[in-house]
Amino acid sequence: SSEMLLDSWREEIINTFGITPVAHYGAIEKVCFMHQFEDSHRYYETPEYGLTEFERRELGDYQIVATGFINPYMPLIRYRTEDYVHLADKKDSHGRQIIKKITGRSTDILESYTNAYLPGVNFYSWIDKSVPGVGMFQIIQEADKSIKFKYVKTQEHSLETKKQISEGLKARLGDLNINIE
């Protein structure tokens, strides 16, 4: 996830390079995507990427709850991202929600042996790029920090796959109890 492009950064980019920057928001879980246009600080939904819902909180902002259309590794339905936004009063001319401000993710996904928090990109991109033989996967961390890694094998699965998963998890999370299924 990303936060809004700060006004001071925008002005400096315009003054230095003579271009108007735009920003985008994309959940690494590949469930939703939003973008800006040059003439606006607001974000606009991209519905072909996924179905995005906004769940109101007592604080007055909204949690992004999304169903992605493009992630074959870990398809998520009505995934509560724990990313929060402030909505504009009006929708665009196509009926899509306009987002005034993105405040970002409120939690991280996994906690390492050293108490460091690791975002999902650390795991999704590593599996996608480096570990053949994994069709879909799920990572569960228990209260004691132990890890359960469940995955579906593909045709590319080999004896190396489980070893690569184990080594990758240890490299990222440290000396935790890891169970691979």
Side-chain angles (χ1 to χ4, degrees), residues 45-132:
E45 291 182 80
T46 307
E48 53 274 12
Y49 197 88
L51 176 67
T52 306
E53 302 170 66
F54 300 96
E55 192 174 80
R56 188 171 175 79
R57 293 196 313 167
E58 289 179 16
L59 300 172
D61 59 358
Y62 293 79
Q63 178 177 191
I64 295 172
V65 178
T67 299
F69 299 150
I70 65 169
N71 184 349
Y73 295 99
M74 194 166 66
L76 300 170
I77 299 171
R78 297 206 73 226
Y79 176 68
R80 285 178 162 66
T81 63
E82 297 191 27
D83 282 355
Y84 297 94
V85 299
H86 295 271
L87 303 179
D89 296 332
K90 296 180 182 178
K91 294 186 177 187
D92 72 7
S93 61
H94 301 287
R96 293 178 295 211
Q97 184 62 58
I98 300 171
I99 292 78
K100 285 193 304 192
K101 181 179 180 184
I102 298 172
T103 54
R105 184 127 322 167
S106 65
T107 63
D108 290 297
I109 295 177
L110 297 171
E111 190 173 346
S112 76
Y113 181 75
T114 62
N115 301 322
Y117 293 105
L118 302 173
V121 66
N122 210 307
F123 299 91
Y124 170 77
S125 60
W126 153 62
I127 292 287
D128 184 39
K129 294 175 184 166
S130 305
V131 186

Coordinates of all heavy atoms in Angstrom, one line a residue, residues 45-132:
E45 N -11.0 4.4 -8.3 CA -11.0 3.0 -8.4 C -10.7 2.5 -9.8 O -11.1 3.1 -10.8 CB -12.3 2.4 -8.0 CG -12.7 2.6 -6.5 CD -14.0 1.9 -6.3 OE1 -14.0 0.7 -6.1 OE2 -15.0 2.6 -6.3
T46 N -10.1 1.3 -9.9 CA -9.9 0.6 -11.2 C -10.7 -0.7 -11.0 O -10.2 -1.7 -10.5 CB -8.4 0.3 -11.5 OG1 -7.7 1.6 -11.4 CG2 -8.2 -0.3 -12.8
P47 N -12.0 -0.7 -11.4 CA -12.9 -1.9 -11.1 C -12.5 -3.2 -11.8 O -12.8 -4.3 -11.4 CB -14.3 -1.4 -11.6 CG -14.0 -0.3 -12.5 CD -12.7 0.4 -12.1
E48 N -11.8 -3.1 -13.0 CA -11.4 -4.3 -13.7 C -10.3 -5.1 -12.9 O -10.1 -6.3 -13.1 CB -10.9 -4.1 -15.1 CG -9.9 -3.0 -15.3 CD -10.4 -1.6 -15.4 OE1 -11.5 -1.3 -15.1 OE2 -9.6 -0.7 -15.7
Y49 N -9.7 -4.5 -11.9 CA -8.6 -5.1 -11.1 C -9.2 -5.9 -10.0 O -8.7 -7.0 -9.6 CB -7.8 -3.9 -10.5 CG -6.4 -4.4 -10.0 CD1 -5.3 -4.4 -10.8 CD2 -6.3 -4.7 -8.6 CE1 -4.1 -4.7 -10.3 CE2 -5.0 -5.0 -8.1 CZ -3.9 -5.0 -9.0 OH -2.7 -5.4 -8.5
G50 N -10.4 -5.4 -9.5 CA -11.0 -6.1 -8.4 C -12.3 -5.4 -7.9 O -12.5 -4.3 -8.3
L51 N -13.1 -6.0 -7.1 CA -14.3 -5.4 -6.5 C -13.9 -4.9 -5.2 O -13.5 -5.6 -4.3 CB -15.4 -6.5 -6.4 CG -16.7 -6.0 -5.7 CD1 -17.3 -4.9 -6.6 CD2 -17.6 -7.1 -5.4
T52 N -14.1 -3.5 -5.0 CA -13.7 -2.9 -3.8 C -14.9 -2.4 -3.0 O -15.8 -1.8 -3.6 CB -12.7 -1.7 -4.1 OG1 -11.6 -2.1 -4.9 CG2 -12.2 -1.1 -2.8
E53 N -14.9 -2.7 -1.7 CA -16.0 -2.3 -0.8 C -15.3 -1.4 0.2 O -14.1 -1.6 0.5 CB -16.7 -3.4 -0.2 CG -17.3 -4.4 -1.2 CD -17.8 -5.7 -0.5 OE1 -18.8 -5.6 0.4 OE2 -17.2 -6.7 -0.7
F54 N -16.1 -0.5 0.9 CA -15.6 0.3 1.9 C -16.4 0.2 3.1 O -17.6 0.4 3.1 CB -15.6 1.8 1.4 CG -14.7 2.0 0.2 CD1 -15.3 2.0 -1.1 CD2 -13.4 2.2 0.3 CE1 -14.5 2.2 -2.2 CE2 -12.6 2.3 -0.8 CZ -13.2 2.3 -2.1
E55 N -15.8 -0.3 4.2 CA -16.5 -0.6 5.5 C -16.2 0.5 6.5 O -15.1 0.7 6.9 CB -15.9 -2.0 6.0 CG -16.7 -2.6 7.1 CD -16.2 -4.0 7.4 OE1 -15.1 -4.1 8.1 OE2 -16.7 -4.9 6.9
R56 N -17.3 1.2 6.9 CA -17.1 2.4 7.7 C -16.7 1.9 9.1 O -17.2 0.9 9.7 CB -18.4 3.1 7.8 CG -18.3 4.4 8.6 CD -19.5 5.3 8.4 NE -19.5 6.5 9.2 CZ -18.8 7.6 8.9 NH1 -18.2 7.6 7.7 NH2 -18.9 8.7 9.6
R57 N -15.7 2.7 9.7 CA -15.3 2.5 11.1 C -15.8 3.6 12.0 O -16.2 4.7 11.5 CB -13.8 2.5 11.2 CG -13.1 1.4 10.5 CD -11.7 1.2 10.9 NE -10.9 2.4 10.9 CZ -9.7 2.5 11.5 NH1 -9.1 1.4 12.1 NH2 -9.0 3.6 11.5
E58 N -15.8 3.4 13.3 CA -16.2 4.5 14.2 C -15.4 5.8 14.1 O -15.9 6.8 14.4 CB -16.2 3.9 15.7 CG -17.2 2.9 16.0 CD -17.1 2.4 17.4 OE1 -16.4 3.0 18.2 OE2 -17.7 1.3 17.7
L59 N -14.2 5.6 13.6 CA -13.3 6.8 13.5 C -13.7 7.7 12.3 O -13.1 8.8 12.2 CB -11.8 6.4 13.3 CG -11.2 5.5 14.4 CD1 -9.9 5.0 14.1 CD2 -11.1 6.3 15.7
G60 N -14.6 7.3 11.5 CA -15.1 8.1 10.4 C -14.4 7.8 9.1 O -14.8 8.3 8.0
D61 N -13.4 6.9 9.1 CA -12.8 6.5 7.9 C -13.3 5.1 7.5 O -14.3 4.6 8.1 CB -11.2 6.5 8.0 CG -10.7 5.5 9.1 OD1 -11.6 4.9 9.8 OD2 -9.5 5.4 9.2
Y62 N -12.8 4.5 6.4 CA -13.3 3.3 5.9 C -12.2 2.3 5.6 O -11.1 2.7 5.2 CB -14.0 3.5 4.5 CG -15.3 4.3 4.7 CD1 -15.2 5.7 4.8 CD2 -16.5 3.7 4.6 CE1 -16.4 6.5 4.9 CE2 -17.7 4.5 4.7 CZ -17.6 5.9 4.9 OH -18.8 6.6 5.0
Q63 N -12.4 1.0 6.0 CA -11.5 0.0 5.7 C -11.8 -0.5 4.2 O -12.9 -0.7 3.9 CB -11.6 -1.2 6.6 CG -10.6 -2.3 6.3 CD -10.7 -3.4 7.3 OE1 -9.8 -4.3 7.2 NE2 -11.6 -3.5 8.2
I64 N -10.7 -0.8 3.5 CA -10.9 -1.4 2.2 C -11.1 -2.9 2.3 O -10.3 -3.6 3.0 CB -9.6 -1.1 1.3 CG1 -9.4 0.4 1.0 CG2 -9.7 -1.9 0.0 CD1 -8.1 0.7 0.4
V65 N -12.2 -3.4 1.8 CA -12.6 -4.8 1.8 C -12.7 -5.1 0.3 O -13.5 -4.6 -0.4 CB -13.9 -5.1 2.5 CG1 -14.2 -6.5 2.5 CG2 -13.8 -4.6 4.0
A66 N -11.8 -6.0 -0.2 CA -11.8 -6.2 -1.6 C -11.7 -7.7 -2.0 O -11.2 -8.5 -1.3 CB -10.6 -5.4 -2.2
T67 N -12.2 -7.9 -3.2 CA -12.1 -9.2 -3.9 C -11.3 -9.0 -5.2 O -11.7 -8.2 -6.0 CB -13.5 -9.8 -4.2 OG1 -14.2 -9.9 -3.0 CG2 -13.4 -11.1 -5.0
G68 N -10.1 -9.6 -5.3 CA -9.3 -9.5 -6.4 C -9.7 -10.4 -7.6 O -10.2 -11.5 -7.4
F69 N -9.4 -9.9 -8.8 CA -9.7 -10.7 -10.0 C -8.4 -11.2 -10.7 O -8.5 -12.0 -11.6 CB -10.4 -9.8 -11.1 CG -11.7 -9.3 -10.6 CD1 -12.2 -8.1 -11.1 CD2 -12.5 -10.0 -9.7 CE1 -13.4 -7.6 -10.7 CE2 -13.7 -9.5 -9.3 CZ -14.2 -8.3 -9.8
I70 N -7.2 -10.8 -10.2 CA -6.0 -11.2 -11.0 C -4.9 -12.0 -10.3 O -3.9 -12.2 -10.9 CB -5.4 -9.9 -11.6 CG1 -4.8 -9.0 -10.5 CG2 -6.3 -9.1 -12.5 CD1 -4.0 -7.8 -11.0
N71 N -5.1 -12.4 -9.1 CA -4.1 -13.1 -8.3 C -4.4 -14.6 -8.3 O -5.1 -15.1 -7.4 CB -4.0 -12.5 -6.9 CG -2.9 -13.2 -6.1 OD1 -2.3 -14.1 -6.5 ND2 -2.6 -12.6 -4.9
P72 N -3.8 -15.4 -9.2 CA -4.0 -16.8 -9.2 C -3.3 -17.6 -8.1 O -3.7 -18.7 -7.8 CB -3.5 -17.2 -10.6 CG -2.4 -16.3 -10.8 CD -2.8 -15.0 -10.2
Y73 N -2.4 -17.0 -7.4 CA -1.6 -17.7 -6.3 C -2.4 -17.7 -5.0 O -2.3 -18.6 -4.3 CB -0.2 -17.0 -6.1 CG 0.6 -17.1 -7.3 CD1 0.8 -16.1 -8.2 CD2 1.3 -18.3 -7.6 CE1 1.6 -16.2 -9.4 CE2 2.1 -18.5 -8.7 CZ 2.2 -17.4 -9.6 OH 3.0 -17.6 -10.7
M74 N -3.0 -16.6 -4.7 CA -3.7 -16.5 -3.4 C -5.0 -15.7 -3.6 O -5.0 -14.5 -3.2 CB -2.7 -15.8 -2.4 CG -3.2 -16.0 -1.0 SD -1.9 -15.5 0.2 CE -1.7 -13.8 0.0
P75 N -6.0 -16.3 -4.3 CA -7.2 -15.5 -4.5 C -7.9 -15.2 -3.2 O -8.0 -16.1 -2.3 CB -8.1 -16.5 -5.3 CG -7.4 -17.8 -5.2 CD -6.0 -17.6 -4.8
L76 N -8.3 -14.0 -3.0 CA -8.9 -13.5 -1.8 C -10.3 -13.0 -2.1 O -10.5 -12.2 -3.0 CB -8.1 -12.4 -1.2 CG -6.7 -12.8 -0.8 CD1 -5.8 -11.6 -0.4 CD2 -6.7 -13.9 0.3
I77 N -11.3 -13.3 -1.3 CA -12.7 -12.9 -1.4 C -13.1 -12.1 -0.2 O -12.9 -12.6 0.9 CB -13.6 -14.1 -1.6 CG1 -13.2 -14.8 -2.9 CG2 -15.1 -13.6 -1.7 CD1 -13.9 -16.2 -3.1
R78 N -13.5 -10.9 -0.4 CA -13.9 -9.9 0.6 C -12.8 -9.8 1.7 O -13.0 -9.9 2.9 CB -15.2 -10.3 1.3 CG -16.4 -10.3 0.3 CD -17.7 -10.0 0.9 NE -17.8 -8.7 1.3 CZ -18.3 -8.3 2.5 NH1 -18.7 -9.2 3.3 NH2 -18.4 -7.0 2.8
Y79 N -11.6 -9.7 1.2 CA -10.4 -9.6 2.1 C -10.3 -8.2 2.8 O -10.4 -7.2 2.1 CB -9.1 -9.7 1.2 CG -7.8 -9.6 1.9 CD1 -7.4 -10.5 2.9 CD2 -7.0 -8.5 1.6 CE1 -6.2 -10.4 3.5 CE2 -5.8 -8.3 2.3 CZ -5.4 -9.3 3.2 OH -4.2 -9.1 3.9
R80 N -10.2 -8.3 4.1 CA -10.1 -7.0 4.9 C -8.7 -6.6 4.9 O -7.9 -7.3 5.6 CB -10.7 -7.3 6.3 CG -12.2 -7.3 6.3 CD -12.8 -7.6 7.6 NE -14.2 -7.2 7.7 CZ -15.1 -7.8 7.0 NH1 -14.8 -8.8 6.2 NH2 -16.4 -7.4 7.1
T81 N -8.3 -5.6 4.1 CA -6.9 -5.3 3.9 C -6.3 -4.6 5.1 O -5.1 -4.6 5.2 CB -6.8 -4.3 2.8 OG1 -7.5 -3.1 3.1 CG2 -7.3 -4.9 1.5
E82 N -7.1 -4.0 6.0 CA -6.6 -3.2 7.1 C -5.9 -2.0 6.6 O -5.1 -1.4 7.3 CB -5.8 -4.0 8.1 CG -6.6 -5.1 8.8 CD -6.0 -5.8 10.0 OE1 -5.1 -5.1 10.6 OE2 -6.3 -6.9 10.2
D83 N -6.2 -1.6 5.3 CA -5.8 -0.3 4.8 C -7.1 0.6 4.9 O -8.2 0.2 4.7 CB -5.5 -0.4 3.3 CG -4.1 -1.0 3.1 OD1 -3.4 -1.2 4.1 OD2 -3.7 -1.2 1.9
Y84 N -6.8 1.9 5.3 CA -7.9 2.8 5.6 C -7.9 4.0 4.7 O -6.8 4.5 4.3 CB -7.9 3.2 7.0 CG -8.1 2.0 7.9 CD1 -7.1 1.2 8.4 CD2 -9.4 1.5 8.1 CE1 -7.3 0.1 9.2 CE2 -9.6 0.3 8.9 CZ -8.5 -0.4 9.4 OH -8.7 -1.5 10.1
V85 N -9.1 4.5 4.3 CA -9.2 5.6 3.4 C -10.3 6.6 3.9 O -11.1 6.2 4.7 CB -9.6 5.2 2.0 CG1 -8.5 4.3 1.4 CG2 -11.0 4.5 1.9
H86 N -10.3 7.8 3.4 CA -11.3 8.8 3.6 C -12.0 9.0 2.2 O -11.3 9.2 1.2 CB -10.8 10.1 4.1 CG -10.2 10.0 5.5 ND1 -10.9 10.1 6.6 CD2 -8.9 9.6 5.9 CE1 -10.1 9.9 7.7 NE2 -8.9 9.6 7.2
L87 N -13.3 8.9 2.2 CA -14.0 8.9 0.9 C -14.5 10.3 0.6 O -14.8 11.1 1.5 CB -15.3 8.0 1.0 CG -15.0 6.5 1.3 CD1 -16.3 5.7 1.3 CD2 -14.0 5.9 0.3
A88 N -14.5 10.6 -0.7 CA -15.1 11.9 -1.2 C -16.6 11.8 -1.1 O -17.2 10.7 -1.1 CB -14.7 12.1 -2.7
D89 N -17.2 13.0 -1.0 CA -18.7 13.0 -0.9 C -19.4 12.5 -2.1 O -20.5 12.0 -2.0 CB -19.1 14.4 -0.6 CG -18.6 14.9 0.8 OD1 -18.4 14.1 1.6 OD2 -18.4 16.1 0.9
K90 N -18.8 12.7 -3.3 CA -19.4 12.3 -4.6 C -18.6 11.2 -5.2 O -17.5 11.0 -5.0 CB -19.5 13.5 -5.5 CG -20.4 14.6 -5.0 CD -20.4 15.8 -6.0 CE -21.2 16.9 -5.5 NZ -21.2 18.1 -6.4
K91 N -19.3 10.5 -6.1 CA -18.7 9.5 -7.0 C -18.4 10.1 -8.3 O -18.8 11.2 -8.6 CB -19.6 8.2 -7.1 CG -19.8 7.5 -5.8 CD -20.6 6.2 -6.0 CE -20.7 5.5 -4.6 NZ -21.3 4.2 -4.7
D92 N -17.6 9.4 -9.1 CA -17.2 9.9 -10.4 C -18.4 9.7 -11.4 O -19.4 9.2 -11.0 CB -15.9 9.4 -11.0 CG -16.0 7.9 -11.4 OD1 -17.1 7.3 -11.4 OD2 -15.0 7.3 -11.8
S93 N -18.3 10.2 -12.6 CA -19.4 10.1 -13.6 C -19.8 8.7 -13.9 O -20.8 8.5 -14.5 CB -19.0 10.9 -14.8 OG -17.9 10.4 -15.4
H94 N -18.9 7.7 -13.6 CA -19.2 6.3 -13.9 C -19.8 5.6 -12.7 O -20.0 4.4 -12.7 CB -18.0 5.6 -14.4 CG -17.4 6.2 -15.7 ND1 -18.1 6.1 -16.9 CD2 -16.3 7.0 -15.9 CE1 -17.4 6.7 -17.8 NE2 -16.3 7.3 -17.2
G95 N -20.0 6.3 -11.6 CA -20.5 5.7 -10.3 C -19.4 5.1 -9.5 O -19.8 4.4 -8.5
R96 N -18.2 5.3 -9.8 CA -17.1 4.7 -9.0 C -16.8 5.7 -7.8 O -16.8 6.9 -8.0 CB -15.8 4.5 -9.8 CG -16.0 3.4 -10.9 CD -14.8 3.2 -11.7 NE -14.6 4.5 -12.5 CZ -14.1 4.5 -13.7 NH1 -13.6 3.4 -14.2 NH2 -13.9 5.6 -14.3
Q97 N -16.4 5.1 -6.7 CA -16.1 5.8 -5.5 C -14.8 6.6 -5.7 O -13.8 6.1 -6.3 CB -15.9 4.9 -4.3 CG -15.6 5.6 -3.0 CD -16.8 6.5 -2.6 OE1 -17.9 6.1 -2.5 NE2 -16.4 7.8 -2.5
I98 N -14.7 7.8 -5.3 CA -13.5 8.7 -5.3 C -13.0 8.7 -3.9 O -13.7 8.8 -2.9 CB -13.8 10.1 -5.8 CG1 -14.4 10.1 -7.2 CG2 -12.5 10.9 -5.7 CD1 -14.9 11.4 -7.7
I99 N -11.7 8.5 -3.7 CA -11.0 8.5 -2.4 C -10.2 9.8 -2.2 O -9.4 10.1 -3.0 CB -10.1 7.2 -2.3 CG1 -10.9 5.9 -2.3 CG2 -9.2 7.3 -1.1 CD1 -11.3 5.5 -3.6
K100 N -10.5 10.5 -1.1 CA -9.9 11.7 -0.8 C -8.5 11.5 -0.3 O -7.5 12.2 -0.6 CB -10.7 12.5 0.3 CG -11.9 13.2 -0.2 CD -12.4 14.2 0.8 CE -12.7 13.6 2.2 NZ -13.5 14.5 3.1
K101 N -8.3 10.5 0.6 CA -7.0 10.3 1.3 C -6.9 8.8 1.6 O -7.8 8.2 2.0 CB -7.0 11.2 2.5 CG -5.7 11.1 3.3 CD -5.7 11.9 4.5 CE -4.4 11.8 5.3 NZ -4.4 12.6 6.5
I102 N -5.7 8.3 1.5 CA -5.3 7.0 1.9 C -4.4 7.1 3.1 O -3.4 7.7 3.0 CB -4.6 6.2 0.7 CG1 -5.5 6.1 -0.5 CG2 -4.1 4.9 1.2 CD1 -4.8 5.6 -1.7
T103 N -4.9 6.5 4.2 CA -4.0 6.6 5.4 C -3.2 5.3 5.5 O -2.2 5.3 6.3 CB -4.9 6.8 6.7 OG1 -5.9 5.8 6.7 CG2 -5.5 8.1 6.7
G104 N -3.5 4.3 4.8 CA -2.6 3.1 4.7 C -2.9 2.0 5.6 O -3.9 2.0 6.3
R105 N -2.0 1.0 5.7 CA -2.2 -0.2 6.4 C -2.0 0.0 7.9 O -1.1 0.7 8.3 CB -1.1 -1.2 5.9 CG -1.3 -2.6 6.5 CD -1.4 -3.7 5.7 NE -2.2 -3.6 4.5 CZ -2.2 -4.4 3.5 NH1 -1.4 -5.5 3.5 NH2 -2.9 -4.3 2.4
S106 N -2.8 -0.6 8.7 CA -2.7 -0.4 10.1 C -1.9 -1.5 10.8 O -1.5 -1.4 11.9 CB -4.1 -0.3 10.7 OG -4.8 -1.6 10.6
T107 N -1.7 -2.7 10.1 CA -1.0 -3.8 10.7 C -0.1 -4.4 9.6 O -0.3 -4.2 8.4 CB -1.9 -4.9 11.2 OG1 -2.6 -5.4 10.2 CG2 -2.8 -4.3 12.3
D108 N 0.9 -5.1 10.1 CA 1.7 -5.9 9.2 C 1.3 -7.3 9.3 O 0.5 -7.7 10.2 CB 3.2 -5.7 9.5 CG 3.7 -4.3 9.2 OD1 3.7 -4.0 8.0 OD2 4.1 -3.6 10.1
I109 N 1.8 -8.1 8.4 CA 1.3 -9.5 8.3 C 1.9 -10.5 9.2 O 1.3 -11.2 10.0 CB 1.3 -10.0 6.8 CG1 0.4 -9.1 6.0 CG2 1.0 -11.5 6.7 CD1 0.4 -9.4 4.5
L110 N 3.3 -10.5 9.2 CA 4.0 -11.5 10.1 C 5.0 -10.8 11.0 O 5.6 -9.8 10.6 CB 4.6 -12.6 9.2 CG 3.7 -13.4 8.4 CD1 4.5 -14.3 7.4 CD2 2.8 -14.3 9.2
E111 N 5.3 -11.5 12.1 CA 6.3 -11.0 13.0 C 7.4 -11.9 13.0 O 7.3 -13.1 13.3 CB 5.7 -10.8 14.4 CG 6.6 -10.1 15.4 CD 5.9 -9.8 16.7 OE1 4.7 -9.9 16.8 OE2 6.6 -9.4 17.6
S112 N 8.7 -11.4 12.9 CA 9.8 -12.3 12.8 C 10.3 -12.6 14.2 O 9.8 -12.1 15.2 CB 11.0 -11.6 12.1 OG 11.5 -10.6 12.9
Y113 N 11.3 -13.5 14.2 CA 12.0 -13.9 15.5 C 12.5 -12.7 16.3 O 12.4 -12.7 17.5 CB 13.1 -14.9 15.2 CG 13.9 -15.4 16.3 CD1 13.3 -16.4 17.1 CD2 15.1 -14.9 16.7 CE1 14.0 -16.9 18.2 CE2 15.8 -15.5 17.8 CZ 15.2 -16.4 18.6 OH 15.9 -16.9 19.6
T114 N 12.9 -11.7 15.6 CA 13.5 -10.5 16.2 C 12.4 -9.4 16.4 O 12.7 -8.2 16.7 CB 14.6 -9.9 15.3 OG1 14.0 -9.5 14.1 CG2 15.7 -10.8 15.2
N115 N 11.1 -9.7 16.3 CA 10.0 -8.8 16.5 C 9.8 -7.8 15.4 O 9.0 -6.9 15.5 CB 10.0 -8.1 17.8 CG 10.1 -9.1 19.0 OD1 9.4 -10.1 19.0 ND2 10.8 -8.8 20.0
A116 N 10.5 -8.0 14.2 CA 10.3 -7.1 13.1 C 9.0 -7.5 12.4 O 8.6 -8.7 12.4 CB 11.5 -7.3 12.1
Y117 N 8.3 -6.6 11.8 CA 7.1 -6.8 11.1 C 7.4 -6.9 9.6 O 8.1 -6.1 9.1 CB 6.0 -5.7 11.4 CG 5.5 -5.7 12.8 CD1 6.0 -4.8 13.7 CD2 4.7 -6.7 13.2 CE1 5.5 -4.8 15.0 CE2 4.2 -6.8 14.5 CZ 4.6 -5.8 15.4 OH 4.2 -5.8 16.7
L118 N 6.8 -7.9 8.9 CA 7.1 -8.1 7.5 C 5.8 -8.1 6.7 O 4.9 -8.8 7.0 CB 7.8 -9.5 7.3 CG 9.1 -9.7 8.1 CD1 9.5 -11.1 8.0 CD2 10.1 -8.8 7.6
P119 N 5.8 -7.2 5.7 CA 4.6 -7.1 4.8 C 4.5 -8.3 3.9 O 5.4 -9.0 3.6 CB 4.8 -5.8 4.1 CG 6.3 -5.7 4.0 CD 6.8 -6.3 5.3
G120 N 3.3 -8.4 3.3 CA 3.0 -9.5 2.4 C 3.8 -9.6 1.2 O 4.1 -10.6 0.7
V121 N 4.3 -8.4 0.7 CA 5.1 -8.4 -0.5 C 6.4 -9.2 -0.3 O 6.8 -9.9 -1.3 CB 5.5 -6.9 -0.9 CG1 6.4 -6.3 0.1 CG2 6.1 -6.9 -2.3
N122 N 6.9 -9.3 0.9 CA 8.0 -10.1 1.2 C 7.8 -11.6 0.8 O 8.8 -12.3 0.4 CB 8.3 -10.0 2.7 CG 9.8 -10.1 3.0 OD1 10.4 -11.0 2.6 ND2 10.3 -9.1 3.7
F123 N 6.6 -12.1 0.9 CA 6.3 -13.5 0.7 C 5.7 -13.7 -0.7 O 6.1 -14.7 -1.3 CB 5.4 -14.0 1.8 CG 6.0 -13.8 3.2 CD1 5.8 -12.7 3.9 CD2 6.8 -14.8 3.6 CE1 6.5 -12.6 5.1 CE2 7.5 -14.7 4.9 CZ 7.3 -13.6 5.6
Y124 N 4.8 -12.9 -1.1 CA 4.2 -13.1 -2.4 C 5.2 -13.0 -3.5 O 5.3 -13.9 -4.3 CB 3.0 -12.1 -2.6 CG 2.6 -12.2 -4.0 CD1 1.7 -13.2 -4.5 CD2 3.0 -11.2 -5.0 CE1 1.3 -13.3 -5.8 CE2 2.6 -11.3 -6.3 CZ 1.7 -12.3 -6.7 OH 1.3 -12.3 -8.0
S125 N 6.0 -12.0 -3.5 CA 7.0 -11.8 -4.6 C 8.1 -12.8 -4.6 O 8.5 -13.3 -5.6 CB 7.6 -10.4 -4.6 OG 8.2 -10.2 -3.4
W126 N 8.5 -13.3 -3.4 CA 9.5 -14.3 -3.3 C 9.0 -15.6 -3.8 O 9.7 -16.3 -4.6 CB 9.9 -14.4 -1.8 CG 10.5 -15.7 -1.4 CD1 11.6 -16.4 -1.9 CD2 9.9 -16.6 -0.5 NE1 11.7 -17.6 -1.3 CE2 10.7 -17.8 -0.4 CE3 8.8 -16.6 0.4 CZ2 10.5 -18.8 0.4 CZ3 8.6 -17.6 1.2 CH2 9.4 -18.8 1.2
I127 N 7.8 -16.0 -3.4 CA 7.2 -17.3 -3.9 C 7.0 -17.2 -5.4 O 7.4 -18.1 -6.2 CB 5.9 -17.6 -3.2 CG1 6.1 -17.9 -1.8 CG2 5.2 -18.7 -3.9 CD1 6.7 -19.3 -1.5
D128 N 6.5 -16.1 -5.9 CA 6.1 -16.0 -7.3 C 7.4 -16.0 -8.2 O 7.4 -16.6 -9.3 CB 5.4 -14.6 -7.5 CG 5.0 -14.4 -9.0 OD1 4.5 -15.4 -9.6 OD2 5.1 -13.3 -9.4
K129 N 8.5 -15.4 -7.8 CA 9.7 -15.3 -8.6 C 10.7 -16.4 -8.4 O 11.5 -16.7 -9.2 CB 10.4 -14.0 -8.3 CG 9.6 -12.8 -8.7 CD 10.2 -11.5 -8.3 CE 9.3 -10.3 -8.7 NZ 9.7 -9.1 -8.1
S130 N 10.7 -17.1 -7.2 CA 11.8 -17.9 -6.9 C 11.5 -19.4 -6.5 O 12.4 -20.2 -6.4 CB 12.5 -17.4 -5.7 OG 12.9 -16.0 -5.9
V131 N 10.2 -19.7 -6.3 CA 9.9 -21.1 -5.9 C 8.9 -21.7 -6.9 O 7.7 -21.6 -6.8 CB 9.3 -21.1 -4.5 CG1 9.1 -22.5 -4.0 CG2 10.1 -20.3 -3.5
P132 N 9.4 -22.5 -7.8 CA 8.5 -23.2 -8.7 C 7.8 -24.3 -8.0 O 8.4 -24.9 -7.1 CB 9.5 -23.7 -9.8 CG 10.8 -23.7 -9.2 CD 10.8 -22.7 -8.2

